[in-house]
Amino acid sequence: MTDDRPTGVDGDRLAVVVAKPRAQDVIDTLQEGGVYDADRSVTEHGEDAVAIPVTAPPETASYREVVRQVGEPRLRTLEDHLRERGWSDGEIDAAPGSWAVIGSVVLVEMGDAPRPGEVGDALLTMHGEADTVLARGGISSTHREPDVEVVAGEGDTRTVHREHGIEYGLDLSEVMFSPGNKAERARMGEIVDADDRVLDMFAGIGYFTLPMADAGAKVVAVEHNPTAFEFLLENAMRNGVTDRVQAYRADNRDVLEGGLDAFGDAPTVDRIVMGYYDATEPDGDGYAYLDPAIAALEPGGTMHVHEATPERLAFDRPIERIEDAADAQGRTVEVLDTRRVKGYSEGVAHVVVDARIE
């Protein structure tokens, strides 16, 4: 943190200067510290930095310098910006209600909004740390590939997203990234113990692997999508955790059938993360992923099972499936925690069950 802080200046005209790729992570820290000024815009500051408005010099965020920020107070909402562009009440009602800034990209579900390009331009005005706006569609195929369209800005879909001290390199046109899982990613880094042996099934670009490895856990990370796997390897290096991550580009079932030799003489693990929403689906007389996962779990180990569950079945369905798979192997289940992470689709919730398998 720099000590180069101007004095004698009204706090509501201050801004901290940070490198552009760090902008969203710093904004999150400033919001947590209660000093982010939402009434003013993030603005460019030179070629590689932005000035983030603050109400007072922050005590927790690192930055290059504190500067006086000039200019008019920003229009606070997307509605304000669209009205300035002449949108009617009916058109504004169809505008997006939420979006997320991922690195240098704004990711938004455009829905039935008219003139998506104008929405994109407004979002870029609101978020000076971003240079591209992507309209997000669905996720398709077994590789969970996103359907996105550039609607404004430079069109660069490759970025580095930073949150809770972890850097995620990714290409949002090729791999998925769920902003709604932010708290869950952070939580996984908080609950693991140093030297825990963890199996991260469906690891993606390292959503859960990276915070767990950063906390000291030893992680076997399995991902089948070749593009996501490349980012997984890159991100392990980017975060300095390659010595604690053993990555496999493979089907989880093949890795489990071959034995977890990455842990040497210990063929079982202390903790398993199943982050794929459909991994608990029954397969014939058993469960394609739950069965081998439970077999690989140390007695007393913990599973973190994600599922897209109809609201009326939450949390009964995932718990029943875990108990059924465990019972077939003569094991018992203690449910430790259940959480709704976010809405998945209409009437369907993304839920997580933490369970100890004895």
Side-chain angles (χ1 to χ4, degrees):
M1 179 184 298
T2 178
D3 290 323
D4 183 17
R5 302 174 180 177
T7 58
V9 182
D10 291 340
D12 62 357
R13 304 308 300 165
L14 300 181
V16 293
V17 176
V18 302
K20 185 175 287 189
R22 296 187 57 241
Q24 190 57 46
D25 203 24
V26 172
I27 289 172
D28 291 343
T29 301
L30 296 174
Q31 288 175 328
E32 291 171 1
V35 295
Y36 176 64
D37 188 351
D39 290 333
R40 290 180 288 135
S41 296
V42 177
T43 58
E44 291 191 353
H45 192 89
E47 294 184 357
D48 66 342
V50 292
I52 302 174
V54 294
T55 57
E59 298 296 332
T60 57
S62 60
Y63 49 86
R64 295 180 181 177
E65 60 179 326
V66 177
V67 297
R68 296 177 178 87
Q69 190 185 51
V70 297
E72 295 298 320
R74 73 165 162 193
L75 298 172
R76 294 193 60 183
T77 67
L78 179 60
E79 178 180 341
D80 293 333
H81 285 273
L82 296 179
R83 286 195 185 282
E84 189 178 63
R85 287 169 165 79
W87 283 44
S88 68
D89 288 344
E91 289 173 329
I92 289 172
D93 287 342
S98 63
W99 54 88
V101 181
I102 300 174
S104 58
V105 178
V106 179
L107 192 62
V108 57
E109 292 187 9
M110 199 63 67
D112 296 325
R115 302 190 294 285
E118 292 187 17
V119 175
D121 289 340
L123 290 172
L124 288 178
T125 300
M126 295 171 65
H127 298 282
E129 70 273 28
D131 56 30
T132 296
V133 178
L134 290 181
R136 177 173 60 182
I139 302 295
S140 63
S141 85
T142 57
H143 283 167
R144 296 175 289 171
E145 295 167 341
D147 176 20
V148 297
E149 178 184 359
V150 176
V151 295
E154 297 179 4
D156 187 359
T157 58
R158 189 177 179 114
T159 189
V160 177
H161 178 68
R162 294 167 173 82
E163 63 180 40
H164 299 106
I166 303 297
E167 296 187 355
Y168 298 90
L170 70 160
D171 188 328
L172 287 161
S173 69
E174 298 191 70
V175 298
M176 62 171 286
F177 191 90
S178 177
N181 291 358
K182 180 177 181 178
E184 192 67 16
R185 288 189 288 271
R187 190 183 76 94
M188 294 310 299
E190 295 167 355
I191 64 175
V192 295
D193 295 323
D195 295 326
D196 263 4
R197 294 167 296 131
V198 182
L199 170 64
D200 185 5
M201 305 170 70
F202 317 101
I205 65 170
Y207 313 107
F208 303 123
T209 288
L210 297 174
M212 290 189 295
D214 186 64
K218 299 176 181 178
V219 186
V220 168
V222 185
E223 174 54 45
H224 196 263
N225 181 328
T227 303
F229 182 77
E230 289 180 8
F231 280 112
L232 172 63
L233 297 178
E234 175 186 316
N235 288 332
M237 291 187 288
R238 183 186 295 276
N239 289 276
V241 295
T242 53
D243 59 328
R244 294 191 292 279
V245 175
Q246 180 69 53
Y248 292 86
R249 192 178 87 76
D251 187 297
N252 287 284
R253 292 163 294 190
D254 294 335
V255 173
L256 289 167
E257 183 179 343
L260 293 172
D261 56 357
F263 293 127
D265 295 333
T268 56
V269 296
D270 304 305
R271 195 179 299 271
I272 291 178
V273 181
M274 299 181 66
Y276 178 44
Y277 301 145
D278 296 329
T280 59
E281 286 293 322
D283 180 32
D285 295 329
Y287 299 88
Y289 295 107
L290 274 174
D291 290 344
I294 289 174
L297 191 64
E298 182 80 9
T302 302
M303 300 187 73
H304 307 278
V305 180
H306 294 239
E307 186 181 282
T309 308
E311 287 281 4
R312 61 186 176 82
L313 299 179
F315 294 88
D316 294 338
R317 189 177 78 175
I319 292 173
E320 288 174 358
R321 289 175 171 179
I322 296 168
E323 291 177 337
D324 186 40
D327 183 66
Q329 298 184 39
R331 302 180 68 169
T332 59
V333 176
E334 177 189 358
V335 176
L336 303 176
D337 193 15
T338 58
R339 293 175 308 288
R340 280 179 172 82
V341 178
K342 62 181 185 298
Y344 179 71
S345 60
E346 185 174 356
V348 179
H350 170 190
V351 303
V352 182
V353 175
D354 293 347
R356 179 180 291 119
I357 312 297
E358 301 293 348

